[in-house]
Amino acid sequence: MSRVTIKDKTFETSIPEAEILERVKLVADRINKDFEGKTPLFLAVLNGSFMYASDLMKHITIPCEISFVKLASYQGVTSTGTIKEIIGLNEDIRGREVIIVEDIVDTGATMKRMLETLGTREPAGLHITTLLLKPGKLTVPLNIEYAAMEIPNDFIVGYGLDYDQQGRNLRDIYTLVQE
Ligand code: 5GP
Ligand code: MG
Ligand code: MG
């Protein structure tokens, strides 16, 4: 176990890079199978999903497109509940198979809001892949078809995920050490 300190908090390794990459590859394999003959549009939600999107896409072997959107809803270690607009979506998603690529689904509020907003643009299908899912925190009923890993309710950083904008660069996933 290695520890890192980010600002005022201490974190310890919980999912090493090698395990993350194995799990990401398994998701890619499933998507390749399920979307064979289609050309899905992957919509990665920045900033948190940048590493996941990058590693996932390296294993996608079907024709596809990837684009990036941004929104922000989280500060510090608890959800603020304020969800901002989706910005940067320039693609016409009407009639497309869209796969949203997220870093983590916690309460599910952010994802629900995204599904509602994207749904008004009449895609053929809206699908979700998330690197991490906290089933114990999910309060919104969501059909999450492709979750790479399920984790307990603890706050995590690394592999794209931040604590107060830091720690996204860490290659492993770390859990907050409760003091
Ligand atoms: P939700 O709306 O599902 O409650 O929260 C979604 C967003 O909250 C995620 O996209 C992520 O930005 C942030 N979030 C939720 N749990 C964690 C966590 O354990 N660590 C970090 N760094 N962010 C989290
Ligand atoms: Mg996110
Ligand atoms: Mg964040």
Side-chain angles (χ1 to χ4, degrees):
M1 282 273 173
S2 78
R3 289 198 164 199
V4 290
T5 300
I6 302 174
K7 297 192 172 177
D8 57 327
K9 303 254 184 277
T10 305
F11 297 84
E12 65 186 9
T13 330
S14 59
I15 314 174
E17 181 184 31
E19 188 181 336
I20 300 169
L21 296 178
E22 268 174 39
R23 303 298 293 261
V24 171
K25 168 119 184 9
L26 291 175
V27 170
D29 292 343
R30 289 179 52 215
I31 292 174
N32 286 329
K33 226 165 124 204
D34 293 353
F35 290 84
E36 207 185 331
K38 298 177 177 155
T39 307
L41 169 65
F42 289 84
L43 220 50
V45 186
L46 296 174
N47 297 327
S49 74
F50 82 98
M51 280 203 193
Y52 177 44
S54 171
D55 286 330
L56 179 74
M57 297 314 293
K58 291 175 200 167
H59 297 289
I60 297 295
T61 52
I62 52 171
C64 64
E65 293 176 27
I66 180 154
S67 190
F68 300 87
V69 295
K70 234 180 149 163
L71 44 83
S73 68
Y74 214 81
Q75 273 165 357
V77 294
T78 55
S79 182
T80 60
T82 50
I83 293 152
K84 293 180 187 157
E85 300 285 289
I86 301 173
I87 52 172
L89 180 61
N90 304 317
E91 283 72 16
D92 183 7
I93 65 169
R94 183 179 305 265
R96 305 277 323 256
E97 293 291 348
V98 175
I99 305 174
I100 302 168
V101 182
E102 257 287 19
D103 52 354
I104 186 163
V105 176
D106 189 65
T107 65
T110 308
M111 190 51 82
K112 179 170 179 264
R113 175 70 201 282
M114 281 210 73
L115 291 176
E116 285 165 0
T117 307
L118 295 175
T120 64
R121 300 181 184 220
E122 297 174 16
L126 266 182
H127 312 268
I128 302 168
T129 181
T130 184
L131 175 72
L132 298 160
L133 173 66
K134 292 181 185 171
K137 292 275 294 281
L138 197 63
T139 55
V140 178
L142 283 178
N143 177 22
I144 299 173
E145 291 162 90
Y146 308 102
M149 292 172 283
E150 296 193 353
I151 56 165
N153 291 348
D154 315 298
F155 185 81
I156 56 107
V157 296
Y159 195 74
L161 289 103
D162 72 306
Y163 167 54
D164 209 7
Q165 298 309 327
Q166 294 188 20
R168 296 191 194 277
N169 53 305
L170 298 167
R171 56 174 64 222
D172 307 298
I173 290 174
Y174 293 74
T175 300
L176 178 66
V177 176
Q178 305 287 349
E179 274 121 34

